[in-house]
Amino acid sequence: MDVLANLALGFSVVLTPTNLLVALVGCVVGTAVGVLPGLGPTATISLLLPVSIYLDRTSSIILMSGIYYGAMYGGSITSILIKIPGEAASVITCLDGYQMARRGRAGAALGISAFASFFAGIVATIGIAFVGPGIAGVALMFGPVEKAALLFLGFVLILGIGEGSKKKGLAMIALGLLLGTVGVDLVSGEDRFVFDVPPLRDGFGIAVVAMGLFGISEVLLMAEGNDKTGGVVSYRQSLRDLLPNRAETLESIGPVVRGSVLGFFLGLLPGGGAMMASFASYMMERKISRHPERFGKGAVAGVAGPEAANNAGAQASFVPLLCLGIPANAVIGVIMGALLMAGVTPGPMLIVSHPELFWGVIASMFVGNLVLVVLNVPLVGLFVSLLRVPTAIMSVLIVVFCVIGAFSLNNSLFDVGAMIGFGVLGYALRKGGYDVAPLLLAFVLGGMFEQNLRQGLIIGFGSPLVFLTSPISAAFLTLAVVVTLAPWVLARFRPRILADLSAASDEIERKPGTGISKP
């Protein structure tokens, strides 16, 4: 009953004209930020920090949280329509969402994405209200050693994503890790692979790499195609065709529920968050699917599960911030800065000292998710109509879109050139049968993994045994070994098991008086 009373307090705070308007603005801006690659919620919220001074502290956090989970909604739109992830967490959606669009099911993919994100957002918000403060202490158990083990498990999961052989997947992960080392070493301060080029000291931006590998390479592949007439959808569709049909809806229910739960718990962990949740959900759905061969070719579960997981993970990451004062990722770190600027210290005493802020932010998540689904679903037809644009025009628009996004990061032409270079690299890799998704995911996680790995080794005085002495780290490493060896063990022993079962069945059928006979 205390939770319900506290939620009533939260709704009394958020259901004021000012806070409703702020929540609406945050969701709209977040969706736009997710659609536009290059900007991202971290940069947008950072730019709005001066504005937060003029707002009530509760209103400012509602605005910034709306931008964050709104970006999770918006990031899927370009991922599905033109295979350009608006957010790092939307990379997985490119794999099956874009293939659904190519089959004329872009509207269904967008609808599944919107409803999955809405359901996951509601589930995560309920989880935050009822169990979040109680289990937030788990985050205190995660230091560099545990984070490094969790990220290592992430690399093992990445190996199963995408198409091609395991060897090609390993090659892409290695290349992604190598690209992630470019820049200044955060531990020693030394330049690595900079070659006296000043812009390289900051390393390559995630958006630059993503737009090149997915956007520019897709344009190059489109340029060598023979389709000169139109885009993916060249016919008029009814509203019924723009939304998921009954079979697609039923197929998406299980992945949405599983992705919501998985995303919520991974969002509570520092180093987890929306991106880890999205590809963990993808791998889980692929492992348990009866038709794993459909993944990467337009599987509904490949869109529903990751979209639910990334939204649930994004909202659950507020729990370590509000309850413990621990930012789970860079975006939450900026929001923590806004709280400190407002004179609020996040931590265990926040619920007691500022209940209107804590419960107001939670209640705003209910309102924000409702606003986002109402905002996005009616626009599905408009989004799908973009696919009627002729391929020749669409390819030019994608290039312009990517160039503006890359330049807007640092107002630097170097980023534009790097994006084009990654586009050519992505084109060559895709022509050679390599999937670029593992490369990008390894690039994104590589910096975090290296930093936590080296900090863990420092804690252990250089001994790698420190990763086995921590129970949590040892559990993650064991799980990584199991995930790695399980396919090999099943492939090796499955024929023998099936043969033994068949022989036993034949023996039973041959015994007289068993009452079993062959039909």
Side-chain angles (χ1 to χ4, degrees), residues 234-248:
S234 58
Y235 53 88
R236 189 173 298 277
Q237 294 178 306
S238 64
L239 178 62
R240 183 179 62 184
D241 295 326
L242 291 174
L243 296 176
N245 56 36
R246 186 172 182 272
E248 290 167 334

Side-chain angles (χ1 to χ4, degrees), residues 21-46 48 61-78 85-90 117 307 310-311 314 318 331 335 368-369 371-373 375-376 379 383 401:
L21 179 61
V22 166
L24 175 63
V25 171
C27 291
V28 172
V29 172
T31 303
V33 166
V35 170
L36 297 172
L39 193 54
T42 306
T44 303
I45 294 173
S46 299
L48 290 176
I61 303 305
I62 290 174
L63 172 67
M64 294 177 185
S65 60
I67 292 173
Y68 182 31
Y69 53 78
M72 297 298 108
Y73 271 78
S76 64
I77 296 173
T78 49
E87 270 298 301
S90 301
S117 297
E307 281 299 309
N310 73 34
N311 209 63
F318 279 86
V331 181
I335 296 176
N369 279 285
V371 167
L372 284 166
V373 76
L375 178 70
N376 282 282
L379 295 177
F383 293 143
F401 197 54

Side-chain angles (χ1 to χ4, degrees), residues 206-263:
I206 296 173
V208 170
V209 179
M211 287 187 289
L213 292 177
F214 287 93
I216 300 299
S217 67
E218 187 66 25
V219 169
L220 294 175
L221 290 173
M222 290 166 60
E224 68 177 21
N226 296 319
D227 182 15
K228 307 290 185 182
T229 58
V232 175
V233 180
S234 58
Y235 53 88
R236 189 173 298 277
Q237 294 178 306
S238 64
L239 178 62
R240 183 179 62 184
D241 295 326
L242 291 174
L243 296 176
N245 56 36
R246 186 172 182 272
E248 290 167 334
T249 302
L250 292 175
E251 188 179 348
S252 66
I253 291 175
V256 168
V257 174
R258 289 188 291 269
S260 301
V261 176
L262 179 65

Side-chain angles (χ1 to χ4, degrees), residues 146-185:
E146 290 76 18
K147 291 180 185 178
L150 175 62
L151 291 167
F152 180 79
L153 174 60
F155 287 120
V156 173
L157 295 177
I158 289 173
L159 189 59
I161 291 175
E163 302 175 352
S165 66
K166 297 292 185 183
K167 292 180 180 179
K168 290 184 176 180
L170 280 172
M172 291 297 94
I173 291 175
L175 181 57
L177 290 172
L178 179 63
L179 291 172
T181 62
V182 175
V184 176
D185 184 351

Side-chain angles (χ1 to χ4, degrees), residues 80-81 96-110 231-238 240-245 248 297-298 380 384-385 387-388:
I80 291 170
L81 296 181
D96 288 279
Y98 183 68
Q99 294 302 322
M100 289 183 69
R102 289 178 62 87
R103 299 204 320 259
R105 300 302 296 161
L110 289 169
V232 175
V233 180
S234 58
Y235 53 88
R236 189 173 298 277
Q237 294 178 306
S238 64
R240 183 179 62 184
D241 295 326
L242 291 174
L243 296 176
N245 56 36
E248 290 167 334
K297 300 176 183 178
V380 166
V384 173
S385 66
L387 297 178
R388 298 192 183 98

Side-chain angles (χ1 to χ4, degrees), residues 415-452:
D415 289 336
V416 177
M419 179 196 64
I420 295 172
F422 281 113
V424 175
L425 173 64
Y427 171 77
L429 291 172
R430 293 171 69 179
K431 291 292 288 184
Y434 291 85
D435 197 317
V436 296
L439 188 160
L440 179 60
L441 291 170
F443 171 79
V444 173
L445 296 180
M448 293 187 290
F449 175 71
E450 181 192 9
Q451 183 178 356
N452 286 289

Side-chain angles (χ1 to χ4, degrees), residues 29 55 57 70 89 91 149 180 285 330 339 365 393 435 463:
V29 172
L55 293 173
R57 55 193 175 195
V91 172
E285 295 302 326
L339 283 171
M365 293 180 180
I393 298 176
D435 197 317
S463 173

